[in-house]
Amino acid sequence: MPTISDVARLAGVSPMTVSNVLNGRATVTAANRRKVEEAIKATGYVRNASARALKSGRSQVVGLAVLEAVSPFYGELTAGVEGILEDEGITVFIASTHNSAEREDATLRRFAELRSLGVILASTRFTPALHANIARTRASGLAVVAIANAQDELDACTVGGHDTRGGALVAEHLSALGRDRFAYVGGPGEAAVYQHRKSGYVDGLRAAGHEVRPEHILDCAQDTIARGIEAGQRLLDSPIPPSAVFCANDLLALGVLQAATTRGVRVPDDLAVVGYDDIPFAAGAAVPLTSVRQPIREMGEAAATLLLAEIKAGADHEHDHQVLEPTIVVRTSTVGARTSANHYR
């Protein structure tokens, strides 16, 4: 493998000059920088990341811990994170925790063992144990940013949507349509994100003079299309089926849409369906899905920017908490055919 000395010899400069070029320092003249860059290409020199990590005590790596890396939501989030960090020469390692407290703990420990610069953590439940794990991770010298709900209180920088407000937007929308039998389909009940969305929805309906029948509130073990189909079938089999259903994420909503279509239930004439997150599949569904939009990619960009700020500030860092307001994107699943989507806050 070619070394810095090989590059310096070919370029006719000192190894320190080559190092300065590699590290982007402005002390190198344009002529010498050009010589070094040409010599790097000619020799095929590649920086030794392991050696740099040994010298600095940190690798140029950031960990991204998400529930499911294959999820459309986390795919968008990851794109936002990578877009910011790659410009800084930082590699993103992604790990799926599968909503398991044990895997979250193990993942944070692995990222610390890798001497990462920091961790961006997405979780649906910030329990006392996870609070302790975050504190331990920060104590080991890693910066930590959490993708967290606006109502969560964490000793770390956070970026998240206002889920209670998002649920209230759905209640306002469905009430304005004159619906009178409401249902809710959520993910695992212990997940704070779903608790907040449900409370915003139920409280918003009550404020408008409506109630949700207890049998029409379903918390699914998983927030997947398959569980959405099962929930949709249960709702349609109930003695008094709902005329509107709010699903706490788009995958559940797509499952409810599929259950309704299979039964010959007309959407939105017989049943209005609303999802949450506005993943790319929402607009492309057989019945385009009305959904609460979170700026997911922007959320990832904001998290990465906060992480960089903490890495650079070190001990002088002060936590920042950013809340991205949701909007609702109205499509055919609640209002019938439209030529274009309508957005409002």
Side-chain angles (χ1 to χ4, degrees), residues 173-174 177 179 243-247 250 253-254 256-257 260 265-276 282-283 285-292 328-338:
H173 175 58
L174 294 176
L177 294 176
R179 303 287 168 155
S243 60
V245 57
F246 167 42
C247 300
D250 286 339
L254 292 172
V256 170
L257 281 176
V265 175
R266 297 173 302 167
V267 177
D269 296 14
D270 303 324
L271 181 68
V273 181
V274 181
Y276 206 108
V287 179
L289 179 66
T290 293
S291 182
V292 177
I328 189 165
V329 183
V330 179
R331 299 192 180 96
T332 312
S333 70
T334 58
V335 297
R338 282 175 177 257

Side-chain angles (χ1 to χ4, degrees), residues 189-241:
E190 75 275 11
V193 62
Y194 295 133
Q195 294 175 14
H196 295 313
R197 291 174 189 178
K198 177 166 62 176
S199 67
Y201 176 61
V202 172
D203 291 347
L205 289 175
R206 285 175 180 160
H210 303 291
E211 290 290 337
V212 183
R213 300 169 67 93
E215 65 269 25
H216 287 172
I217 296 178
L218 305 179
D219 291 319
C220 302
Q222 297 171 307
D223 46 9
T224 62
I225 292 177
R227 295 294 177 263
I229 293 172
E230 293 173 2
Q233 291 169 342
R234 284 182 59 187
L235 292 172
L236 295 174
D237 285 338
S238 62
I240 304 176

